[in-house]
Amino acid sequence: DVIPVQNKEFDFVNFANSMVPAKGFTDTLQAMVIVVKSHPKAKLNLIGTPNAENKAVYDKIIQENHLENNVIITPFFEKQSDMFQHLQKSRFAVLPYKLDYIASTTFQAMYYEMPVVVYKTAGTPTLNKEKECVLIADMENVEQLAAKMLLLLDNQEEALVLRKNAKELVDFKNDGKRISDVVMNNFRAIVAHFRYGTPIPQELIYNPLEQ
């Protein structure tokens, strides 16, 4: 039911139901302080509903850095389809999550063909294993985060490549037949290992350190 949105109202978006610092909202705001120095009209949409304590922190950053015209906080949506509809009003996603292997919101933004900036976690480098699909900043490096955001604003060709690569990766991961084949291969390997002691092929063994 989600209709593609052509007209963009925001340059960047960060979104999560729990609008907490671990989801990168504070870092995204601090990076935005740097971005507006060279792009004073840049706009950031923060989608989520913060508690009173976090809202006070975000409001302070906005007020002290005069970002009132650059940052919009949008309450989270009751219906997921409404959130995905609104999400598409932004050109790029900034999702510097600090806890997840790969945040589900990263794949959601990629699905809607939005170039994404993330932090380097154990999982995010795997998104670029075959070709560059996301821009990755070092964990809690706000200056580097801002530099990646500026790259998207200043380099349209880079943004287009990321958009294409990311969508191809998401479509590949969502391919039903491929997923079924992977599950069956894993199942056969486990059965063979249990019954006959056949070593499980190395390519089927999960390695969180592989990048």
Side-chain angles (χ1 to χ4, degrees):
D1 296 331
V2 179
I3 302 171
V5 174
Q6 302 300 325
N7 296 325
K8 308 300 181 183
E9 297 180 20
F10 309 97
D11 296 292
F12 302 102
V13 65
N14 187 351
F15 61 105
N17 191 7
S18 56
M19 198 172 171
V20 297
K23 300 293 186 181
F25 285 92
T26 306
D27 292 32
T28 302
L29 276 171
Q30 291 172 338
M32 195 67 180
V33 174
I34 300 173
V35 169
V36 298
K37 291 178 180 178
S38 57
H39 292 268
K41 294 184 179 181
K43 290 191 178 295
L44 166 67
N45 187 17
L46 300 180
I47 304 176
T49 306
N51 61 27
E53 180 181 356
N54 289 326
K55 186 176 186 303
V57 172
Y58 304 149
D59 287 345
K60 183 178 180 181
I61 296 174
I62 292 170
Q63 292 166 7
E64 289 184 347
N65 294 281
H66 310 290
L67 296 177
E68 292 85 353
N69 294 326
N70 303 97
V71 178
I72 301 296
I73 297 180
T74 303
F76 206 76
F77 296 84
E78 291 186 9
K79 292 178 60 179
Q80 193 177 53
S81 58
D82 290 340
M83 193 276 291
F84 289 143
Q85 190 71 56
H86 182 79
L87 178 67
Q88 296 179 80
K89 294 183 178 181
S90 299
R91 298 166 60 198
F92 315 118
V94 185
L95 303 168
Y97 287 19
K98 303 179 183 182
L99 300 177
D100 298 330
Y101 181 75
I102 301 175
S104 60
T105 51
T106 299
F107 290 114
Q108 290 162 0
M110 292 166 65
Y111 175 81
Y112 286 106
E113 301 186 52
M114 302 171 65
V116 185
V117 183
V118 297
Y119 271 153
K120 184 178 182 180
T121 65
T124 51
T126 65
L127 297 173
N128 291 344
K129 186 175 181 180
E130 300 297 331
K131 51 188 173 182
E132 190 174 40
C133 296
V134 297
L135 295 179
I136 302 176
D138 290 335
M139 181 64 67
E140 297 187 333
N141 189 327
V142 172
E143 290 77 15
Q144 202 173 101
L145 189 67
K148 303 295 184 182
M149 294 166 68
L150 287 168
L151 176 61
L152 290 176
L153 288 174
D154 295 333
N155 193 327
Q156 185 176 359
E157 291 185 1
E158 175 75 8
L160 289 173
V161 169
L162 287 169
R163 178 180 297 134
K164 177 178 178 294
N165 291 349
K167 187 61 165 63
E168 289 178 355
L169 178 62
V170 170
D171 288 345
F172 172 76
K173 287 183 173 293
N174 289 338
D175 183 277
K177 183 180 183 304
R178 186 193 67 84
I179 294 173
S180 297
D181 290 344
V182 170
V183 171
M184 289 306 300
N185 287 340
N186 289 343
F187 178 75
R188 294 188 185 101
I190 292 171
V191 171
H193 178 73
F194 178 77
R195 289 182 175 176
Y196 313 113
T198 304
I200 294 178
Q202 191 64 36
E203 64 270 17
L204 298 183
I205 299 175
Y206 170 70
N207 181 5
L209 299 180
E210 184 182 10
Q211 298 182 4

